[in-house]
Structure formats: C-alpha cells, structure tokens
Amino acid sequence: MVAKDGGATQVGRHVRYRRVPKPADSGWTDAQFDRPKRPVPYKAIAYAFALFFLGTTLLTIGSCLYAGVIWAHDPERWLSLIILGAITFIPGAYHVAIAFKAWRGDHGYSFDDIPSGFEENLDTTLNFPVKS
C-alpha cells in the first residue's frame, strides 16, 4: 500500500520524510531563550516574613480581644485588628510559602515568582528593536 500524504511517501508502516529546507540565517539563536541567573531576593523575603509575623500577631490580639481574654476600653477595637491582621497576614503567608517551596526545590516554584523591586542595576526587561 503506497499513499501520498502531505509530500511524504508512506509504504506500509514506514514513512519516508524529506528535509525541510533551512534558511541560511533565521535570526534566532539559542541565547535568546536563556533566562539570566537572578539573585535570591533576600529583602523581599525578609519583608514577607515581617508581614507574616505582624499579621499573625495582629490576628492573635484581635481574636483575644473578641473572645474577651484581653480586656480593652473600646470593645470594637478587635475588628480593626482583625482586618489589619488579615491584610498583612495573607500576602506575607503567600510569599513565605513561595519562598519556602522555591528553597526546597519544588517543581513549578522559583525565586522569580517573588516580586521584588529592591535589586538595583538588574536589567530584566526585554529590549525589542525599534523600527525606524
């Protein structure tokens, strides 16, 4: 059984392929796809730990105020502490978890996932050629 299928000749189970002509210069190099080595964002991780511990403290104090373990002059103070604690705890816990999983080497996690604007002189932007 001989069949022509998209330019390749098929004989039984064997398929003969022909080479696609390769242009002399396609404009692509392997170096374009290499990711530069990015340093570990220690400052961002420290800020994430600070947010995590501050949020945990505020949530704990707010919960104790609500439960009546700690007595305060203003009984509605617990709500503001719970809200501020949640605002600081959630992003802190998220970024601490990412840092821990990246440090452990889990698949799909890297230190690139932690946003950081603290590194200076680090050019990670893509420089596209400008058409003139």
Side-chain angles (χ1 to χ4, degrees):
M1 176 176 162
V2 177
K4 291 276 189 179
D5 192 6
T9 306
Q10 181 175 355
V11 180
R13 289 187 231 169
H14 304 288
V15 178
R16 291 188 201 145
Y17 296 101
R18 61 189 152 115
R19 289 189 181 262
V20 177
K22 186 175 182 182
D25 182 25
S26 62
W28 296 96
T29 63
D30 290 337
Q32 289 175 311
F33 303 105
D34 291 339
R35 297 179 86 178
K37 181 74 175 157
R38 184 172 177 237
V40 176
Y42 291 112
K43 273 188 183 177
I45 294 171
Y47 284 129
F49 271 107
L51 285 174
F52 176 72
F53 288 122
L54 179 66
T56 303
T57 304
L58 290 174
L59 283 171
T60 303
I61 293 172
S63 299
C64 289
L65 282 172
Y66 179 72
V69 176
I70 301 174
W71 184 81
H73 295 302
D74 185 12
E76 296 300 319
R77 186 174 291 177
W78 65 270
L79 184 61
S80 61
L81 289 176
I82 295 286
I83 291 172
L84 286 174
I87 287 173
T88 56
F89 176 80
I90 293 171
Y94 175 74
H95 288 99
V96 165
I98 290 175
F100 178 70
K101 289 182 179 229
W103 173 75
R104 214 169 59 180
D106 287 355
H107 179 69
Y109 293 95
S110 71
F111 289 112
D112 292 336
D113 298 334
I114 300 173
S116 174
F118 303 112
E119 290 90 9
E120 295 178 11
N121 301 327
L122 182 64
D123 184 22
T124 58
T125 59
L126 298 174
N127 296 320
F128 293 107
V130 179
K131 293 181 181 180
S132 45

